[in-house]
Amino acid sequence: MNLPGRAVLVIALINLAQLPVAMRQLLIVLLGHHNTGSFAVAGVASGACGLGLALTAPCYGRLLARLGDRPVLLACGAAHLAALLGLAFVTDPAAYVVLAAGAGLATPPALSSGRALLPTLVPAPALTRAYALNAVGLELLYVGGPLAVTASLLVTGPAGALLGFAAVGTAALVGHALSVPRRATRPTAAREPGRTPARSTLRTLIAAQVGYMTCMGAMWVLVPAFASGAGNPDQAGLLITAWSAGSLAGGLLLVGRGRPGSPGGSYLALLATLAVTSTALLLPRTVPQMAVALAIFGLALAPWLAVTDELVARASPAGHTAEAYGWLQTAGQLGIAVGSTAGGAVNDRAGNTAAFLVVSVSLALALAVAVSRRRFLRPPDPPVAEAARGGGRAPGDDVSSRRAREGPRADGNGEQGGDRGVPSARR
């Protein structure tokens, strides 16, 4: 895999830190009904939490660059933990919704921090593999997380489950904050002329992300609806597992073999694969048939997310990469809201089979946006070496340009050569 241990550690920590965030919506619904006796209150609280995340994700990404990773991560982590602790014990409906919104607003930007850090730890040729490993970690999180929730509910109930996940996530977040290289914890300089993000590339990625996440929002409604319509509502989890297994297989293949071709070409090919394979979801009539269709559909999912992360890293200067990832999260929350609403409405009016057209149409629109703006999917290599080190050479300097292409180089002590090297750890 050729990825350094420290980069792998970063990936492990940010994914563990994401555990309470990934399971938060489910736990807020379960705990909301348990504490207040109302699924309506639980639903409002879940929506308020998602809205809070959408509002603050880009802001925290910007603060990571201005204040440094460590203070932002620790402050958000403390506020997020306090909100989760309050949710575990409060029974007043209004207070529960307010605390859920507070948890969303205080969501620690662990993923944005880690994704933005990886180009400083991994040479450009290995960057796709690093982001693929992160995508695999997220898939494992979403496969194992619900199983852990189920087990925790049997032992401790919803409050204990929430507190347990909060403890694990907070410990991992603190570990990540303390492991961030010293240079990344210092405030960055003001934005320089000529170092602004490639806005056209980022706008293309964000627009396509809305379409992709609209598809995902619909899927989380339509897959359980299919299982119920097939007379096996208890097998919805099996279908989700099959879907994730396909994504895991695709992600592991990308980790092992690397990305073929250019990032932009791979991005378009994988998005087209998702759009084409989604049409197979219209065909199944039984749970086993749908499991096969979902596994095939999932094959391109993790690889596409990994290439998306790589393109963001290449399009954004080091000081603004986390903010770009924050905007992707905001776009994702918008897409999920649209997709879940549209998918549920079409499912009730036209049936489950027709409702899967929401998935295909959303991906087709995302592909159309990406193809029409494909000239913007050719950003340069990320500023992995000199930008991360804060070196004083000009962007056009031959040595600086060469190092940016080659990526970080380690000396005998595991740090980049030069007087202000960043530890050459990779994920």
Side-chain angles (χ1 to χ4, degrees):
M1 227 175 358
N2 298 324
L3 295 177
R6 187 167 182 180
V8 175
L9 176 63
V10 167
I11 292 172
L13 288 174
I14 63 174
N15 279 283
L16 283 175
Q18 189 69 8
L19 179 60
V21 178
M23 297 299 105
R24 189 174 58 190
Q25 301 295 98
L26 173 60
L27 286 170
I28 283 177
V29 171
L30 295 174
L31 186 60
H33 179 256
H34 179 272
N35 285 9
T36 69
S38 169
F39 274 117
V41 171
V44 171
S46 179
C49 184
L51 178 60
L53 170 60
L55 290 174
T56 56
C59 301
Y60 289 150
R62 189 173 302 176
L63 287 176
L64 287 172
R66 291 185 178 180
L67 303 179
D69 291 50
R70 191 170 300 168
V72 175
L73 291 172
L74 294 178
C76 289
H80 186 247
L81 179 61
L84 294 183
L85 290 174
L87 284 171
F89 299 105
V90 72
T91 58
D92 178 71
Y96 191 83
V97 172
V98 169
L99 284 169
L105 290 168
T107 302
L111 284 181
S112 294
S113 169
R115 286 167 172 166
L117 182 62
L118 284 174
T120 71
L121 305 177
V122 180
L127 198 55
T128 302
R129 291 183 177 183
Y131 283 124
L133 184 59
N134 183 62
V136 167
L138 284 173
E139 282 299 325
L140 289 172
L141 193 69
Y142 283 96
V143 171
L147 297 177
V149 169
T150 301
S152 299
L153 290 174
L154 294 175
V155 176
T156 65
L162 181 65
L163 294 176
F165 284 123
V168 172
T170 301
L173 180 69
V174 172
H176 171 60
L178 297 179
S179 71
V180 174
R182 182 177 301 175
R183 179 66 183 87
T185 68
R186 299 174 187 170
T188 60
R191 183 176 299 193
E192 303 173 9
R195 295 294 292 165
T196 57
R199 294 184 183 276
S200 296
T201 299
L202 295 176
R203 286 170 180 164
T204 302
L205 297 175
I206 289 170
Q209 184 80 356
V210 173
Y212 165 77
M213 293 304 290
T214 298
C215 149
M216 292 296 105
M219 287 290 290
W220 284 105
V221 174
L222 298 179
V223 172
F226 175 88
S228 180
N232 302 103
D234 57 328
Q235 294 187 10
L238 173 65
L239 292 177
I240 297 297
T241 300
W243 182 22
S244 297
S247 181
L248 279 172
L252 289 172
L253 184 64
L254 185 61
V255 171
R257 304 188 64 175
R259 164 182 48 75
S262 67
S266 296
Y267 179 89
L268 292 173
L270 290 166
L271 185 54
T273 301
L274 285 171
V276 170
T277 56
S278 71
T279 60
L281 301 176
L282 298 167
L283 304 177
R285 294 296 179 266
T286 66
V287 168
Q289 291 172 352
M290 179 58 83
V292 173
L294 285 169
I296 294 172
F297 175 58
L299 285 172
L301 198 156
W304 185 78
L305 292 174
V307 175
T308 299
D309 284 346
E310 181 185 4
L311 282 169
V312 172
R314 290 175 179 272
S316 307
H320 304 283
T321 309
E323 180 183 350
Y325 287 126
W327 282 113
L328 278 185
Q329 283 188 294
T330 296
Q333 292 295 314
L334 172 62
I336 287 174
V338 173
S340 59
T341 302
V346 176
N347 183 82
D348 287 349
R349 289 177 172 80
N352 186 255
T353 298
F356 276 104
L357 285 172
V358 175
V359 174
S360 298
V361 170
S362 299
L363 290 171
L365 290 174
L367 180 62
V369 169
V371 169
S372 67
R373 296 173 61 86
R374 60 188 178 278
R375 65 187 182 279
F376 299 123
L377 297 177
R378 301 171 185 170
D381 284 348
V384 285
E386 292 298 319
R389 291 168 48 191
R393 298 181 186 274
D397 181 86
D398 290 341
V399 175
S400 174
S401 301
R402 184 177 71 250
R403 289 181 179 174
R405 291 191 299 271
E406 295 174 350
R409 296 181 297 174
D411 61 22
N413 297 320
E415 294 190 352
Q416 289 177 313
D419 57 347
R420 297 201 297 181
V422 175
S424 178
R426 294 149 85 184
R427 293 197 267 186

